[in-house]
Amino acid sequence: MPKFLFFCHRFFELRFIVATGILDHLTEHGEVALLLPEDLAKSFQPVLEKNKKIKIAISNYTAPASPFRRVWLNFWGDVLYLAFPNTDKRPNATAEFHRQYYRSSSALKEKIVVGLSRLASRFSWLLNMSVWLYQSVLPARFHDDLLQKEKPDLMIGCSFGLSVEDAAFLKEARINNIPSAVLVQSWDRTSNKGYPTVRPDHALVWNNIMAEESIVNLGFAPDRVHVVGSPLWDKHFKTLDQKRSEEWRKDLGIQKDSKILFFACGGFGNHPANMIVIPKVFDLAEVQPFSDTIHIVFRMYPQYLSPITKSGEGKRKKDEIERLLRKYKNSKYISILCPKVDFDGKNFVPNDEDHDYMTECLYQCDVSLSQVSSQMIEACIFDKPALNIEFGRRQTDKYDLEIADYKTEHLLRLYRTGAIDRVQDPADLEKTIAMALQNPAEKSKQRQQLVDQEAPLNRGSSASEAARCLAGLVGVKKTVQTRK
């Protein structure tokens, strides 16, 4: 039987492959070893050990000891993060957006990195040199013993070398002459993360747009990109064939004829916006200005419940939003929900109940409200009006801007379909919701177009198709791809 070595460095990635069942499907095709940082292995062990066919190995990746290596990798990693070749052939708005908002502790470094990224995007020789300079100091002998013991037939990652750990994993595959693949697990990985620091032999993506981005902007050979569908939404498509739960409304105390607004707030990056948006939305339930009675089902973002909220800035944000929510806790027209997750002190571990409940909220609602979130796509799967709230500020380690100015390629491709109702001014919120309630089918055709764009095939079976595709890559002759 073939052997697969799967590496997940980030919680988000591991949550994706566990929640979607990809790992379970992959064990149907061979032996699976999962390489994880120690804290993730500990957190997910109770979930993963349910499948006895999955082995858990502890990752030994560590930051380079040499300060020079760390600075070097950071510098050239930033250059590649801002490099987007062939935008004359396939435009990518993220290129200039990222360069505009790129910040460093050194103003000189900012100018050099942005300048080099522009030149590298234009001249293939400089792009190839940037990749070589990054890889030249990238350590990649962390797991010789593991590779010798497991002898994997395919090494699978979740990003195109987004961090040193991801890049080192792919380099280990290359120097050991083991075929590699990356299973893209986010809707923005092919458009927003720059040029691969180490390109794997194969890329598995969700749709044709991501495939085009991989070929044109990321330099993959066409026969090395595989469209498998979107495993994250398999549950949604399966739910469409089921009856709505009658108990769901009863449990939340929602009146029979009330229209439901499902509103999931953003995470810490959107905290300044959350503090503005939440009262604007909740006050509509208090005033009831529409022809129909509305009931708001609000879902707290899981990050507000994570262990990082025990102290410091995380605690401040959690306390602030909880004070705000307490003002509305007794409203008969507002249900405030917390994610159904388990915490182990470091990570929150999702469960099937939470995934099912989130899906039911989208299935039952009349209008979906979110903030630059993939919930826009999920709402369209259920043919529900999708309102994107774009007022308020977004502050992360990479951005500090008004959400209305957040214009990366993965968002713009949704907006171009015309399926999303965008609210950039608080004064327009009530009017936009009213129009969605009165004419819910108005953008149904555009919503279907968006779903066809984002999830064109294998609806409900993308996870099993991804596993089948990975299994099919075993034995495929390894080749060196030409960078263009």
Side-chain angles (χ1 to χ4, degrees):
M1 294 183 72
K3 293 185 176 182
F4 306 98
L5 179 61
F6 216 128
F7 174 60
C8 284
H9 174 57
R10 300 170 189 81
F11 165 81
F12 177 81
E13 297 162 348
L14 183 55
R15 173 183 177 274
F16 168 79
I17 63 169
V18 171
T20 56
I22 288 174
L23 284 179
D24 293 326
H25 287 296
L26 195 57
T27 60
E28 298 169 5
H29 298 277
E31 298 179 15
V32 178
L34 186 58
L35 186 62
L36 301 173
E38 189 171 1
D39 70 309
L40 284 184
K42 182 179 178 182
S43 296
F44 277 78
Q45 186 171 0
V47 178
L48 294 169
E49 66 185 7
K50 294 176 183 177
N51 189 329
K52 304 299 182 183
K53 296 181 180 180
I54 300 175
K55 298 180 182 178
I56 300 177
I58 304 300
S59 168
N60 294 325
Y61 291 124
T62 57
S66 165
F68 169 78
R69 280 194 174 194
R70 291 197 295 271
V71 171
W72 186 267
L73 289 168
N74 178 269
F75 179 86
W76 290 108
D78 284 359
V79 170
L80 292 170
Y81 187 79
L82 301 180
F84 294 84
N86 297 323
T87 51
D88 58 323
K89 299 177 182 177
R90 193 183 198 291
N92 188 324
T94 302
E96 283 307 314
F97 180 85
H98 274 185
R99 291 168 194 155
Q100 178 184 352
Y101 286 98
Y102 174 73
R103 295 293 179 267
S104 171
S105 57
S106 165
L108 178 60
K109 180 188 173 183
E110 285 181 19
K111 292 181 179 179
I112 294 174
V113 166
V114 170
L116 282 173
S117 73
R118 286 202 174 98
L119 292 172
S121 300
R122 185 178 176 186
F123 299 107
S124 59
W125 66 267
L126 182 56
L127 182 63
N128 292 338
M129 179 181 293
S130 300
V131 171
W132 182 84
L133 288 169
Y134 180 89
Q135 293 182 13
S136 66
V137 300
L138 182 66
R141 285 289 184 184
F142 289 100
H143 299 99
D144 284 349
D145 292 343
L146 176 66
L147 297 178
Q148 183 63 31
K149 177 183 177 182
E150 296 294 335
K151 293 183 171 55
D153 297 290
L154 183 68
M155 292 174 64
I156 308 162
C158 292
S159 90
F160 305 121
L162 186 58
S163 70
V164 171
E165 293 83 0
D166 301 302
F169 176 79
L170 293 175
K171 185 176 178 180
E172 282 193 291
R174 180 176 296 177
I175 63 179
N176 285 279
N177 202 33
I178 300 171
S180 62
V182 161
L183 178 63
V184 173
Q185 43 68 59
S186 175
W187 59 318
D188 67 343
R189 281 285 163 92
T190 58
S191 62
N192 281 15
K193 307 304 179 183
Y195 197 75
T197 56
V198 181
R199 185 187 291 105
D201 295 302
H202 299 272
L204 278 67
V205 298
W206 293 3
N207 53 55
N208 294 328
I209 286 183
M210 296 170 78
E212 291 172 10
E213 290 171 341
S214 298
I215 295 166
V216 179
N217 298 136
L218 306 187
F220 278 87
D223 63 343
R224 296 299 167 129
V225 181
H226 313 272
V227 179
V228 297
S230 50
L232 194 59
W233 300 319
D234 279 350
K235 176 70 177 178
H236 294 356
F237 288 112
K238 292 177 180 178
T239 300
L240 289 172
D241 297 326
Q242 302 172 5
K243 290 184 178 180
R244 290 181 177 86
S245 167
E246 295 181 0
E247 297 301 317
W248 185 86
R249 291 179 73 107
K250 293 179 182 178
D251 291 344
L252 294 176
I254 301 175
Q255 297 176 9
K256 183 179 180 180
D257 297 327
S258 293
K259 298 293 186 180
I260 300 170
L261 307 184
F262 176 51
F263 171 36
C265 73
F268 276 10
N270 277 21
H271 180 75
N274 288 339
M275 299 305 296
I276 296 173
V277 173
I278 291 173
K280 291 290 184 184
V281 175
F282 282 9
D283 285 348
L284 294 175
E286 301 286 274
V287 177
Q288 293 292 335
F290 308 109
S291 56
D292 295 293
T293 301
I294 63 165
H295 190 105
I296 296 172
V297 176
F298 171 83
R299 186 176 191 267
M300 176 81 92
Y301 196 83
Q303 195 173 22
Y304 282 103
L305 307 177
S306 65
I308 63 172
T309 61
K310 291 181 178 179
S311 61
E313 186 67 7
K315 184 177 186 303
R316 183 192 68 79
K317 291 179 178 179
K318 179 183 179 181
D319 291 346
E320 192 172 29
I321 199 169
E322 286 184 341
R323 281 196 301 270
L324 174 61
L325 294 176
R326 278 197 293 270
K327 296 178 182 179
Y328 301 92
K329 68 176 182 178
N330 295 321
S331 173
K332 63 183 290 188
Y333 299 114
I334 300 174
S335 298
I336 298 174
L337 308 179
C338 290
K340 301 175 183 295
V341 293
D342 302 315
F343 295 94
D344 69 345
K346 283 197 173 182
N347 298 294
F348 55 87
V349 183
N351 53 48
D352 291 339
E353 184 182 5
D354 184 59
H355 192 42
D356 292 347
Y357 204 85
M358 179 75 171
T359 302
E360 193 67 30
C361 288
L362 288 161
Y363 199 16
Q364 296 270 2
C365 77
D366 294 284
V367 178
S368 164
L369 285 74
S370 59
Q371 300 159 285
V372 291
S373 162
S374 61
Q375 185 176 315
M376 291 184 285
I377 304 171
E378 296 174 87
C380 290
I381 291 174
F382 289 98
D383 195 21
K384 302 299 175 66
L387 271 66
N388 186 39
I389 302 176
E390 300 177 35
F391 55 83
R393 200 152 192 87
R394 181 177 177 87
Q395 294 175 329
T396 69
D397 58 339
K398 290 184 171 63
Y399 309 119
D400 185 356
L401 73 167
E402 292 295 318
I403 292 180
D405 295 327
Y406 185 37
K407 298 175 181 177
T408 50
E409 187 65 30
H410 75 301
L411 293 170
L412 294 181
R413 79 178 192 232
L414 302 190
Y415 301 158
R416 292 183 193 116
T417 67
I420 308 302
D421 292 304
R422 303 173 62 190
V423 184
Q424 298 185 344
D425 187 332
D428 295 332
L429 182 62
E430 180 182 328
K431 176 179 65 176
T432 308
I433 293 175
M435 292 174 62
L437 290 170
Q438 292 168 10
N439 303 291
E442 182 181 6
K443 294 188 175 182
S444 185
K445 182 178 179 180
Q446 291 92 327
R447 290 195 288 269
Q448 184 59 56
Q449 178 187 344
L450 186 149
V451 176
D452 290 341
Q453 171 182 288
E454 298 300 316
L457 74 173
N458 301 321
R459 294 172 178 174
S461 60
S462 297
S464 59
E465 176 60 21
R468 188 202 64 78
C469 181
L470 289 170
L473 298 180
V474 173
V476 174
K477 186 176 180 181
K478 187 178 176 68
T479 61
V480 177
Q481 299 182 42
T482 302
R483 297 186 180 89
K484 296 181 179 178

